[in-house]
Amino acid sequence: MRNRRSQRRLSNRVFMEIAEKVIPPRTHYLNATYGVKSWLLTTDHKRIALLYLASVTFFFFLGGLFAVGIRLELLTPKGDFVQAETYNRMFTMHGVVMIFFFLIPAIPAVLGNFLVPLMIGAKDLAFPRINLLSWYIYTLGAAFTVVAIILGGVDTGWTFYTPYSSTYSNGNVVLTGVGAFITGFSSILTGLNFIVTIHTMRAPGLTWFRLPLFIWSHYATSLIMILGTPVIAVTLLLLALERIVHIGIFDPALGGDPVLFQHLFWFYSHPAVYIMVLPAMGVISELVANMTRKNIFGYKFVAFASLAIAVFGFLVWGHHLFVSTQSVYAGMMFSILSYAVAVPSAVKVFNWTATLYKGSISYNTPMLYAFGFIGFFIIGGMTGLFLAALGVDVHVHDTYFVVAHFHYIMVGGTIMGYLGGMHYWWPKITGRMYPEAWARFAALVIFVGFNLTFFPQFLLGYMGMPRRYYAYPEEFQVLNVMSSAGASILGIGYLIPMIYFIWSMRYGPHASANPWGAFGLEWRTSSPPPTLNFEKTPVVTWEAYEFTPRDEMVVVSVRDLLDETLRPRPVGSE
Amino acid sequence: MQVPIPFSPEQASSYSGQVDALYGFLCALTFLVGIVISLVIIYFAIKYRRRHDTEVGKPIEGSTKLELAWSIIPFCISMGIFVWGASLYYKMYHAPGEALEVYVVAKQWMWKFQHLDGQREINELHVPVGRKVKLMLTTEDVIHSFFVPAFRVKLDVVPGKYSTMWFEPTKAGRYHLFCAEYCGTSHSGMIGWIDVMEAAEYQSWLSGGAGEGSLASSGEKLFQQLACNTCHRSDAQGRGPVLEGVFGKEVQFQDGQRLIADESYIRESIITPRAKVVAGFQPIMPTFQGQVSEEQLLQLVAYIKSIGSKSPGAASTNAQPAKPAPPQQ
Amino acid sequence: MADTHTTTHAGLAHHFDDMEQQREAGTLGMWAFLVTEVMFFGGLFLAYILYRARAPVEFAVASNSLNVTMGFINTLVLICSSLTMALAVYFSQTGKRNLIVVFLLLTMGLGLTFLVIKGFEYHEKYVEHHIPVRFATYEFNWEGHASGHEAASIPVDDGKVEMFFWLYFAMTGVHALHMIIGLGILATLVLMARRGRFTPDYHSPVELSGLYWHFVDIVWIFLFPLLYLVGAHLH
């Protein structure tokens, strides 16, 4: 009815102005109950996400500390900062901690746990108690690893190649392996939870192709988690048996094959890198769509690309074994498949770029991180093509070229996605806004520091500097110094958000339900949300990212003023 | 194809320029893709920046044609890159027939070289320029990786098996040798040099010293020391098969399988003799695992290779090529 | 949308809309979990395939030394336990409280029987020095095998025989671990059933545990021929 609509339009403007002001909800998930027990025994997915946030942040800085040690040692060609044995343990623990305790859980267990039920209109995940259990399992695995570190760590490299790890190393191989083994179950349970939740608990009207791309990414990630993680579990089990009782599986003197370990290890660890990057891509899709206020170009292609990456990701593990005496023909197969898996990733980058066309682009911090991700991912991804090229890989395998490649993806990709997502959803999670100016400054520092740290490593690698070297020939020093300088800048860049995020929890301005004017069910409930997420289960009648001009939109109910949830209506629908 | 790329090692093998060419192409491609996408992003980001608070973007579904285009074209380009890379790889891992052989044993934390002439080197390998060199590598303990950046070659050495690689140095000089697979405390200390010498210099270096005699003659001594000759007699009266002429020929086993006798088979027969028992013989050969080192195994292999052609003394050294051919190549 | 529930069922968890959604979620969750178990055992099966392909003779000879009788009895025991489990599920669907408890206990009993027989088998292997470890003074020793069969005279590579044995222990060991966990699950179900928690409307814990139990049974159906029957033709 025309009248109602224009009336609503008028009052909308008023409501908008008020809604933008500082009025937080009375009770929400953070203050619903108090006390340590209410946090440690919670089954609320949002609180569990925050438990994970605390854990992964701790491990991020622990892994970062090891990185500091590495880069300090590499300032000089000779080994003079620490002993060789110590250095070897430092780079191993850097890898183990960063991969198993930060990169794999970070986005799924923090942002995924928090947002998956919200984005699909559910009250919680399908198995809330299993969700809490997965955090405890993570913590148990982490405890084993921390004990291993305190007892001196392990020096095999995070890849634990046999027979060095099974027979020769005198580090705490089994203890660290047990830590990783246990934490793997946390991953499996999280993935299981997501899959079941997304299948069975979507709000009425929310069909698969109306889902946010964040959900598609996490679904694909969960598939990898449940299919791949058990294999690393069995591999670590076999490694432990070999080390403790010498069954002989990886020992040639006893009839075993050390290269079998590499196959088993990489069968999981390659898909694992997609566990690390797919959720970040999901975040970027959300950022690009919402900061340009339009649907992602080629939504279905992006959704299917996530699944394709998950499936193909299982078929390429042999590209880590090109120089490991694997058959030449097997190498060729894996090379072809590795190019195949690069295509869906490229497709995503093209689609994000195309989304910018005729968008309405805002330059706030989340978008800056999205731009950063895209730029770094292009470099990281293209250098993957170098590594998939058999003839070139022979030269750069196990050199700093590989180190640079994966840091561009994992740090330039995943961590940018993580930080972008944290900034974007910070108001939703905490009900507060972070200081935008400082955030942009930190993003800039991170971008500069990151490039300075890792770009020289491509050059070092091609020049021939091998990985895991504690001392190196003099001609490599200049680039190493550049890299270490960059690392210090990067470190500062990471510390700044820590500070202002914590600051904002007390002093930041309160956030409205939808401070970005974004699309998605999570923005249709208060910031922070109530414990059961929605006052009323939403009914979805719109397509994904179906933005309409703002003044057609009804503003989110601010509890004292409206009792209707915000819903963007397609133009001309009333 | 000797255009040097910045930030790359010297091009010192026949192979280096080819690898650099592919690498250069990939760098150019990356640069191009990066620049193009960055410019597009910057252009869109400026042109379509948000002008007022309530502005939304134009809803655009997508374009199947565009999706297909930017899936298929990159895939085709990558297939081209694959073919290029794979052909380089294939060349690298198929050693040519005629080559100067050197045996390499890696151990924590050094590289031990044995020339067929008997010269032994540690961490430094002398080779002549312009000749193909074939390395047969193994390790005594953990996995290492033999990496010479200037030659653009690398190969892991795995315990319990032999791996083979080859290269042809094209420029005299001294080039880094690195271990490229983490192997323990002194992994970064397991480095050395490849000394590529002009032909004349190499000859004088060769004649400089081989006090113990050729590899094959060391192997012959071991063969007698370990009493192998009591069962493996040349008159076919022994309890073990005759070994003269066995190398490079087909062998048939008890279970009907056959294979061509190569270095790996000889090594296996010494370490795990019951793995393959020659047809018509009893499985009574004892294992020598633990009694011979990897280096000694290589000496025995060299010896058996040398009696392989049934004419004594023919292929026992690398000082001259086995077939009559001009010495320089 | 379901229109059948106007009152909230006692067993409905707070975050589900209705029992149907809860049941669907639980079932999908259990199937997804079983897929992860397939991947877990899959690694071991892969190692088995690889090493058996490399050493078919050694595998036959080593398998020949296993106690096929005990293995066969165990197979029958497990199949029966799957039957009793299925019956327990049936009775939970029809609400016969006492029968649920009876059949769950029977299943547990059979499962325990399996583990006891396994224990005897392991002991036999221990005594024969067929456990492929080097620990303290214990060492694997194949030469001492005196089976009296022709098998003993076939030339084998001891290292490869040892491969069979560690695979045997790893695979049956992991399987036994899953059985033990299964017993724990069944015990919990017995307690719940005695308290009358299961009704025709709500009995998914029994059903889903049944799925798990059947899965563990099926793994054994694969293990038995692959481990015990390889060398059968050698007699």
Side-chain angles (χ1 to χ4, degrees), chain A residues 26 31 80 84 135 158 164 181 235 272 300 342 345 350 365 378 405 419 468 483 515:
Chain A
R26 240 192 311 256
N31 61 17
D80 42 19
W135 182 75
W158 85 276
Y164 183 73
F181 179 90
T235 308
K300 279 198 183 160
S345 305
F350 298 142
T365 307
I378 291 175
H405 160 75
L419 288 175
R468 300 171 167 169
S483 180

Coordinates of all heavy atoms in Angstrom, one line a residue, chain A residues 26 31 80 84 135 158 164 181 235 272 300 342 345 350 365 378 405 419 468 483 515:
Chain A
R26 N 19.9 -4.8 25.8 CA 20.0 -4.9 27.3 C 20.8 -6.2 27.6 O 21.9 -6.1 28.3 CB 18.6 -5.0 27.9 CG 18.3 -4.0 28.9 CD 17.1 -4.3 29.6 NE 16.0 -4.7 28.7 CZ 14.9 -3.9 28.4 NH1 14.9 -2.7 28.9 NH2 14.0 -4.3 27.6
N31 N 26.7 -10.8 28.3 CA 26.4 -10.5 29.7 C 25.2 -11.3 30.2 O 24.8 -11.1 31.3 CB 26.1 -9.0 29.9 CG 24.9 -8.5 29.1 OD1 24.1 -9.4 28.6 ND2 24.8 -7.2 28.9
D80 N 75.4 -17.3 14.8 CA 76.0 -16.7 15.9 C 75.0 -16.3 17.0 O 75.3 -15.9 18.1 CB 76.8 -15.5 15.5 CG 76.2 -14.7 14.4 OD1 74.9 -14.8 14.3 OD2 76.8 -13.9 13.7
A84 N 73.0 -24.3 16.4 CA 72.3 -24.9 15.3 C 71.1 -25.7 15.8 O 70.0 -25.6 15.2 CB 73.3 -25.8 14.5
W135 N 36.8 -27.6 21.5 CA 37.7 -26.6 22.1 C 38.6 -27.2 23.1 O 39.8 -27.0 23.2 CB 37.0 -25.4 22.7 CG 37.9 -24.3 23.2 CD1 38.7 -23.5 22.5 CD2 38.3 -24.1 24.6 NE1 39.5 -22.7 23.3 CE2 39.2 -23.0 24.6 CE3 37.8 -24.6 25.8 CZ2 39.8 -22.5 25.8 CZ3 38.4 -24.1 27.0 CH2 39.3 -23.1 27.0
W158 N 58.4 -29.1 10.6 CA 57.0 -29.5 10.9 C 56.6 -30.6 10.0 O 55.5 -31.3 10.2 CB 56.0 -28.3 10.7 CG 55.6 -28.0 9.3 CD1 56.2 -27.3 8.3 CD2 54.3 -28.5 8.7 NE1 55.5 -27.3 7.2 CE2 54.4 -28.0 7.4 CE3 53.3 -29.3 9.1 CZ2 53.3 -28.3 6.5 CZ3 52.2 -29.5 8.2 CH2 52.3 -29.0 6.9
Y164 N 64.7 -39.4 9.5 CA 65.3 -38.5 10.5 C 64.4 -38.5 11.8 O 64.9 -38.6 12.9 CB 65.5 -37.1 10.0 CG 66.2 -36.2 11.0 CD1 67.5 -36.4 11.3 CD2 65.4 -35.3 11.7 CE1 68.1 -35.6 12.3 CE2 66.0 -34.5 12.6 CZ 67.4 -34.7 12.9 OH 68.0 -33.9 13.9
F181 N 48.2 -34.8 16.9 CA 47.2 -35.9 16.7 C 45.9 -35.5 17.4 O 44.8 -35.6 16.8 CB 47.8 -37.2 17.3 CG 46.9 -38.4 17.2 CD1 46.9 -39.2 16.1 CD2 46.0 -38.7 18.3 CE1 46.1 -40.3 16.1 CE2 45.2 -39.8 18.2 CZ 45.3 -40.6 17.1
T235 N 48.9 -41.3 10.2 CA 50.3 -41.1 9.9 C 51.1 -40.9 11.1 O 52.2 -41.4 11.3 CB 50.5 -40.0 8.9 OG1 49.6 -40.2 7.8 CG2 51.9 -39.9 8.4
A272 N 45.3 -29.7 3.7 CA 45.3 -28.8 4.9 C 45.5 -27.3 4.5 O 45.0 -26.4 5.1 CB 46.4 -29.2 5.9
K300 N 27.4 -18.4 -8.4 CA 27.4 -19.8 -8.4 C 28.8 -20.4 -8.8 O 29.2 -21.4 -8.3 CB 26.4 -20.3 -9.5 CG 25.0 -20.4 -9.0 CD 24.1 -21.2 -9.9 CE 22.6 -21.2 -9.3 NZ 21.6 -21.6 -10.3
A342 N 44.6 -24.8 -9.6 CA 44.9 -23.4 -9.6 C 43.7 -22.6 -10.2 O 43.4 -21.5 -9.9 CB 46.2 -23.1 -10.3
S345 N 40.8 -21.2 -8.1 CA 41.3 -20.1 -7.3 C 41.4 -18.8 -8.1 O 41.0 -17.7 -7.7 CB 42.6 -20.4 -6.7 OG 42.6 -21.6 -5.9
F350 N 39.1 -13.4 -10.3 CA 38.5 -12.7 -11.4 C 37.1 -12.2 -11.0 O 36.7 -11.1 -11.3 CB 38.5 -13.5 -12.6 CG 39.8 -14.0 -13.1 CD1 40.0 -15.2 -13.7 CD2 40.9 -13.1 -13.1 CE1 41.2 -15.6 -14.2 CE2 42.1 -13.5 -13.6 CZ 42.3 -14.7 -14.1
T365 N 38.5 -0.3 6.6 CA 39.6 -1.3 6.9 C 39.3 -2.7 6.4 O 40.2 -3.3 5.7 CB 39.9 -1.3 8.4 OG1 40.1 0.0 8.9 CG2 41.0 -2.2 8.7
I378 N 47.4 -13.1 -5.5 CA 47.8 -13.2 -6.9 C 49.3 -13.6 -7.0 O 49.6 -14.6 -7.7 CB 47.6 -11.9 -7.7 CG1 46.1 -11.6 -7.9 CG2 48.3 -11.9 -9.1 CD1 45.8 -10.3 -8.5
H405 N 56.5 -18.5 -1.2 CA 55.2 -18.8 -1.8 C 54.2 -19.1 -0.8 O 53.1 -18.5 -0.8 CB 55.4 -20.1 -2.7 CG 54.1 -20.8 -3.0 ND1 53.2 -20.3 -3.9 CD2 53.6 -21.9 -2.5 CE1 52.1 -21.1 -3.9 NE2 52.4 -22.1 -3.1
L419 N 42.2 -11.0 9.6 CA 42.2 -9.6 10.1 C 41.0 -8.9 9.5 O 40.3 -8.1 10.2 CB 43.5 -8.9 9.9 CG 44.6 -9.4 10.8 CD1 45.9 -8.7 10.4 CD2 44.4 -9.2 12.2
R468 N 65.6 -23.8 5.9 CA 66.0 -24.5 7.1 C 67.5 -24.4 7.3 O 68.1 -25.2 8.0 CB 65.5 -25.9 7.2 CG 64.0 -26.0 7.1 CD 63.5 -27.4 7.0 NE 62.0 -27.4 7.2 CZ 61.3 -28.4 6.9 NH1 61.8 -29.5 6.4 NH2 60.0 -28.4 7.2
S483 N 64.8 -9.0 4.6 CA 63.7 -9.8 5.1 C 63.5 -9.6 6.6 O 62.3 -9.5 7.1 CB 63.9 -11.2 4.7 OG 62.9 -12.0 5.2
P515 N 26.2 -1.6 11.3 CA 27.0 -0.4 11.1 C 27.5 -0.3 9.7 O 27.8 0.8 9.2 CB 28.1 -0.5 12.1 CG 28.3 -2.0 12.4 CD 26.9 -2.6 12.2

